Amino acid sequence: MIEARRLHILRAVADHRTVTAAAAALYLTPSAVSQQLAALEQETGHRLVERGAKGVRLTPAGEILLNHTNAVLAQLERAEAELAAYSSGAAGTVTVASFATGIALVVAPAVAHLAESAPGIRIRVQDAEGDASLPMVLDRQVDVAVAVEYRGAPPADDPRLTHVPLYAEPFDAVVPVRHRLADLAEVPLAELAKDPWIGPYPGNPCHDVVVLACENAGFQPRMEHSSDDFRAVVALASADAGVALVPRSALRGMDLAGVVVRPVDGTAPTRRVFAAVRRGAEEHPLIRPVLDALGAAARV
């Protein structure tokens, strides 16, 4: 009989590619993870992982078991949801991980709404960039992620996750007030090819959006300054340190005295925001109201 907790460990190893990283995500020791993998191999009668210089990879037998693991764990999530519904689980804590603008735009309004509509549900919010929140859901560190589409992100049909689209917003060009293009109604990205750029660090989903937009305009942006805080990005632009692309909602409430904000000429780069939960958990009586509240806040 295969133990479900060992399937969790197998998936974590497949996701993180090393025993050490999987152990850290699961709050276990590396030796405990190795012991559980060995026990799983004994239960199945197959070698499931191979260790190499670049980490751990699944064998063909391990890949077969991983495909079934995703289905089994999703079904267990559904079972927990139905049992919670049966016992009218209308009270409990749901942990939501989101990037800062997502917290301001949809998570905080959802928290306020749930305080009135579902007072038994307590929301705990964690600030996490869009690329970090999805692994946190898969590792069961949080229940819901508010994340951004980015290159390399799990796709919408990933068997481990259920995606709920929330909103999409354009990036606007932010240039110093004395910039040569400041008087234009719309800024052509190609005209910024020789400018110094300010933007998020590599790994931040917004970094991918900016770089891809510039590549589509025919150039690679020269990133002179890096910050994941858009207030810092705007402050540097106001100091004439470079130009930037910033999500429109992130500009709300900022001091824009030293910059000019303009739409991008042509097809604007866009960040698409969604909520994600472990597949099968979307109908849990604690999680469903949270997803509905996030969706309602996004529509507003």
Side-chain angles (χ1 to χ4, degrees):
M1 180 69 71
I2 298 174
E3 291 191 20
R5 64 192 177 98
R6 290 174 182 154
L7 296 180
H8 279 292
I9 291 172
L10 178 70
R11 188 160 79 177
V13 169
D15 287 343
H16 294 281
R17 304 296 183 184
T18 71
V19 168
T20 301
L26 297 173
Y27 300 103
L28 297 172
T29 64
S31 62
V33 169
S34 296
Q35 289 170 8
Q36 292 299 317
L37 286 175
L40 185 58
E41 289 180 330
Q42 187 173 9
E43 287 173 344
T44 60
H46 291 278
R47 187 179 182 187
L48 301 175
V49 298
E50 292 180 343
R51 291 170 173 81
K54 296 184 178 180
V56 176
R57 69 179 183 87
L58 299 187
T59 65
E63 293 286 356
I64 291 172
L65 183 58
L66 180 64
N67 289 335
H68 289 285
T69 292
N70 291 328
V72 168
L73 295 183
Q75 192 59 43
L76 286 174
E77 293 283 356
R78 294 187 189 98
E80 289 181 11
E82 289 189 20
L83 287 170
Y86 175 76
S87 61
S88 66
T93 299
V94 176
T95 304
V96 180
S98 172
F99 56 100
T101 309
I103 292 174
L105 201 61
V106 294
V107 177
V111 170
H113 173 74
L114 289 166
E116 295 185 2
S117 64
I121 299 178
R122 176 174 174 262
I123 306 296
R124 293 181 63 248
V125 179
Q126 296 186 20
D127 189 334
E129 290 299 335
D131 58 328
S133 59
L134 295 177
M136 293 169 72
V137 168
L138 291 171
D139 292 335
R140 305 181 71 86
Q141 296 173 6
V142 301
D143 303 302
V144 181
V146 175
V148 178
E149 290 183 4
Y150 60 95
R151 286 187 287 190
D157 60 353
D158 189 293
R160 303 168 298 172
L161 296 166
T162 293
H163 284 220
V164 179
L166 294 178
Y167 64 92
E169 63 172 329
F171 281 61
D172 288 325
V174 178
V175 301
V177 291
R178 295 178 294 277
H179 193 274
R180 65 188 182 283
L181 303 181
D183 292 333
L184 296 182
E186 295 182 336
V187 172
L189 280 186
E191 295 297 321
L192 300 175
K194 295 183 179 180
D195 284 85
W197 278 74
I198 313 157
Y201 285 99
N204 186 313
C206 290
H207 176 88
D208 287 346
V209 175
V210 171
V211 171
L212 183 59
C214 293
E215 289 174 352
N216 289 338
F219 69 97
Q220 188 76 22
R222 177 165 55 91
M223 289 290 180
E224 289 286 333
H225 310 283
S226 298
S227 175
D228 288 334
D229 186 335
F230 286 117
R231 288 183 176 81
V233 170
V234 171
L236 286 167
S238 70
D240 206 14
V243 299
L245 289 174
V246 177
R248 187 166 293 172
S249 67
L251 294 168
R252 295 179 183 176
M254 280 196 196
D255 179 6
L256 302 175
V259 298
V260 171
V261 178
R262 295 287 186 264
V264 172
D265 185 28
T267 303
T270 302
R271 101 167 145 182
R272 292 174 173 81
V273 180
F274 62 94
V277 298
R278 291 180 294 278
R279 189 172 291 272
E282 60 272 11
E283 295 304 328
H284 192 286
L286 294 178
I287 292 176
R288 182 76 259 169
V290 175
L291 294 176
D292 290 343
L294 290 171
R299 288 190 293 274
V300 172

